[in-house]
Amino acid sequence: MSIFNKVYEAHTKAKLQMELESAAKAAAEKAAANEFVAAFKQHIEFISGPIFEEFAKDARAHGFPARTEVTKDESGNVIYTLTFIPVAGAEHGTHQQHECACVIKAMAAEQKIELASHFDKRPGRRVGFKSEIFALPVVTAVVLERTLGALLSSALEINAS
């Protein structure tokens, strides 16, 4: 075998090996992301869903519009949102500056959860916005209830003034 063929063959094998390793890495990352999304969907079903639904039900019982929604962002990340307006008799879309939300976003690529809340959407205000990044197991019922309690307390206070 000539030196050309030896070098070319070695180069071809090395390139193929890199492509195989890259494909295996991509497949492993995709599998991990899919597992993470499945775990997040279970979290919605068994932990955050019941808490958000009960909150929304109680808010509506007090005359405050409230709803929950599961969506995806442009990257395909699953987002679970609780939206409410702490103004009795209001309707969604009519009091946007008073609209409050608690949002749980599964960031599949990072395998992290963003837990965000906002209660003050008046122009020029960012004081009513909070966002934190957690590992999924950290977003427990206790964490969600504490977040919702603080959100509602702040929303009621700001809307009372």
Side-chain angles (χ1 to χ4, degrees):
M1 181 180 284
S2 74
I3 189 67
F4 179 90
N5 287 341
K6 286 180 183 178
V7 171
Y8 184 76
E9 187 177 304
H11 174 75
T12 302
K13 284 182 181 179
K15 183 177 176 185
L16 178 61
Q17 182 64 33
M18 285 192 320
E19 290 171 356
L20 291 172
E21 288 172 2
S22 179
K25 181 181 177 185
E29 288 173 355
K30 183 171 175 117
N34 289 341
E35 287 178 28
F36 179 76
V37 170
F40 181 67
K41 288 178 178 178
Q42 282 190 318
H43 185 275
I44 290 173
E45 184 177 352
F46 296 109
I47 298 173
S48 56
I51 293 168
F52 277 21
E53 293 300 330
E54 181 180 36
F55 185 99
K57 179 182 160 205
D58 290 346
R60 289 189 299 268
H62 286 87
F64 302 144
R67 63 181 173 212
T68 61
E69 175 179 42
V70 177
T71 58
K72 289 187 177 184
D73 68 7
E74 62 280 351
S75 299
N77 293 314
V78 178
I79 303 169
Y80 185 47
T81 306
L82 163 69
T83 307
F84 68 97
I85 302 172
V87 176
E91 292 182 22
H92 286 288
T94 60
H95 291 82
Q96 291 182 347
Q97 73 274 16
H98 297 289
E99 192 172 282
C100 303
C102 185
V103 180
I104 306 172
K105 177 180 177 179
M107 300 181 297
E110 297 87 356
Q111 295 190 21
K112 296 286 184 181
I113 297 294
E114 178 182 21
L115 177 59
S117 62
H118 62 81
F119 63 88
D120 189 356
K121 293 170 67 175
R122 293 177 292 176
R125 304 281 297 201
R126 290 276 299 164
V127 69
F129 179 79
K130 183 178 180 183
S131 176
E132 296 179 272
I133 306 295
F134 299 103
L136 182 57
V138 175
V139 185
T140 63
V142 172
V143 168
L144 289 172
E145 288 174 351
R146 185 176 340 137
T147 299
L148 288 173
L151 173 61
L152 180 59
S153 179
S154 297
L156 291 172
E157 185 177 308
I158 196 103
N159 285 302
S161 56

